[in-house]
């Protein structure tokens, strides 16, 4: 069955630390990959997405993610986090030819000033 | 409107009562999704509408849950005989079409508390 795993449920970092949040999925076919972010009191919004081409994608606010097909992974990275990055981050996978998305359980990131 | 809107933003109800949650998608978006967000559970898919096609109800957790979408626009999620385990944030999202490569735009959610 298709599934999405986010291994880090809670992450606490100091400002300027580097961030990497893991996302793995299980599916043998073509996928489209997303990271969404939910800042405190705000809607879920798209951070970045991968459909095809360069497996390293860049999103808003200095975030990037790399699709490694052999590892079924789409990890989110940021070289230097800011206090304003405190939020919950969700990985989502869309399965080719369908409309269904599966979301991970989310990672709560807290950045200490 | 400029974004997806949902109402009410908060709903407190007593166990056994029925509730209706409303979603107004972005104009022109043909696909509409309902999700349930519970603490530590991520986003749980409930139901999907695409244009005038029959909805995919495969994610509805029980027959107490139903949803409709009138005129291909506004959608209402109804929960009958609410239970405490129904307490969650209910999110609506819309996208330009239902294809997997389309970004979903989310509403602010309705926080449902069943006492």
């Amino acid at each position: 069955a298709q599934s999405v795993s986010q291994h880090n449920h809670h992450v606490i970092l100091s400002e300027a630390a580097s961030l990497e949040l893991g996302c793995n999925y299980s599916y043998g076919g073509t996928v489209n990959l997303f990271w969404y972010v939910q800042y405190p009191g705000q809607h879920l919004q798209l951070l970045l997405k991968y459909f095809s081409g360069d497996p390293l994608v860049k999103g808003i606010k200095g975030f990037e993610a790399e699709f490694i097909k052999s590892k079924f992974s789409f990890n989110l990275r940021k070289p230097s986090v800011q206090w304003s990055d405190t939020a919950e981050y969700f990985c989502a996978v869309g399965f080719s030819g369908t409309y269904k998305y599966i979301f991970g359980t989310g990672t709560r990131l807290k950045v200490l000033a | 409107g400029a974004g997806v809107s949902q109402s009410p933003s908060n709903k407190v109800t007593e166990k056994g009562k029925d509730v209706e949650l409303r979603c107004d998608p972005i104009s022109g978006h043909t696909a509409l999704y309902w999700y349930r967000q519970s603490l530590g559970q991520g986003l749980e898919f409930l139901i999907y509408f695409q244009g005038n096609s029959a909805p995919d109800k495969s994610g509805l957790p029980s027959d107490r849950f139903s949803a409709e979408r009138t005129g291909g626009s506004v959608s209402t999620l109804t929960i009958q005989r609410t239970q405490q385990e129904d307490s969650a944030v209910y999110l609506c999202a819309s996208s330009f079409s239902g294809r997997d490569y389309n970004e979903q735009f989310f509403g602010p959610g309705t926080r449902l508390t069943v006492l």
Side-chain angles (χ1 to χ4, degrees):
Chain A
Q2 301 149 345
S3 66
V4 178
S5 300
Q6 289 183 245
H7 309 296
N8 318 100
H9 300 295
H10 291 90
V11 174
I12 301 175
L13 294 172
S14 298
E15 276 195 313
S18 64
L19 170 72
E20 181 160 3
L21 302 182
C23 174
N24 288 86
Y25 65 92
S26 63
Y27 182 66
T30 302
V31 295
N32 296 304
L33 302 158
F34 306 81
W35 276 96
Y36 285 85
V37 60
Q38 188 170 29
Y39 296 103
Q42 296 188 26
H43 309 186
L44 268 164
Q45 58 186 282
L46 184 69
L47 197 55
L48 49 77
K49 58 187 177 184
Y50 170 81
F51 296 148
S52 62
D54 189 344
L56 183 63
V57 293
K58 295 191 184 298
I60 59 172
K61 304 186 180 184
F63 286 90
E64 65 179 31
E66 184 175 14
F67 172 46
I68 303 179
K69 189 174 182 179
S70 61
K71 295 185 177 180
F72 302 93
S73 70
F74 190 56
N75 292 355
L76 181 71
R77 300 194 294 247
K78 185 170 184 179
S80 176
V81 294
Q82 301 174 312
W83 177 81
S84 58
D85 294 325
T86 294
E88 189 160 16
Y89 294 81
F90 293 90
C91 178
V93 180
F95 301 96
S96 181
T98 78
Y99 54 82
K100 271 195 168 171
Y101 297 74
I102 296 181
F103 283 78
T105 52
T107 297
R108 287 181 182 267
L109 171 66
K110 183 171 184 177
V111 179
L112 304 175
Chain B
V4 178
S5 60
Q6 292 185 246
S7 60
S9 55
N10 280 284
K11 178 71 177 179
V12 180
T13 190
E14 294 179 347
K15 179 180 173 181
K17 300 283 189 183
D18 298 351
V19 295
E20 282 190 355
L21 312 180
R22 177 187 167 104
C23 172
D24 279 274
I26 292 173
S27 178
H29 281 190
T30 60
L32 186 149
Y33 301 76
W34 282 99
Y35 294 93
R36 180 167 68 178
Q37 185 179 19
S38 305
L39 193 63
Q41 298 297 316
L43 272 69
E44 176 189 4
F45 166 79
L46 297 178
I47 188 169
Y48 161 79
F49 296 89
Q50 169 59 40
N52 295 319
S53 303
D56 180 340
K57 306 178 183 180
S58 61
L60 296 178
S62 79
D63 59 7
R64 296 186 294 104
F65 288 71
S66 63
E68 62 178 22
R69 188 178 185 191
T70 53
S73 181
V74 172
S75 177
T76 303
L77 177 69
T78 301
I79 309 173
Q80 296 178 309
R81 305 181 303 281
T82 53
Q83 304 293 312
Q84 288 183 332
E85 61 262 28
D86 299 334
S87 296
V89 176
Y90 290 82
L91 293 172
C92 176
S94 70
S95 68
F96 181 69
S97 76
R99 293 310 302 266
D100 55 287
Y101 47 77
N102 280 312
E103 173 187 355
Q104 293 184 51
F105 292 82
F106 284 85
T110 294
R111 182 175 297 278
L112 175 65
T113 303
V114 182
L115 302 177

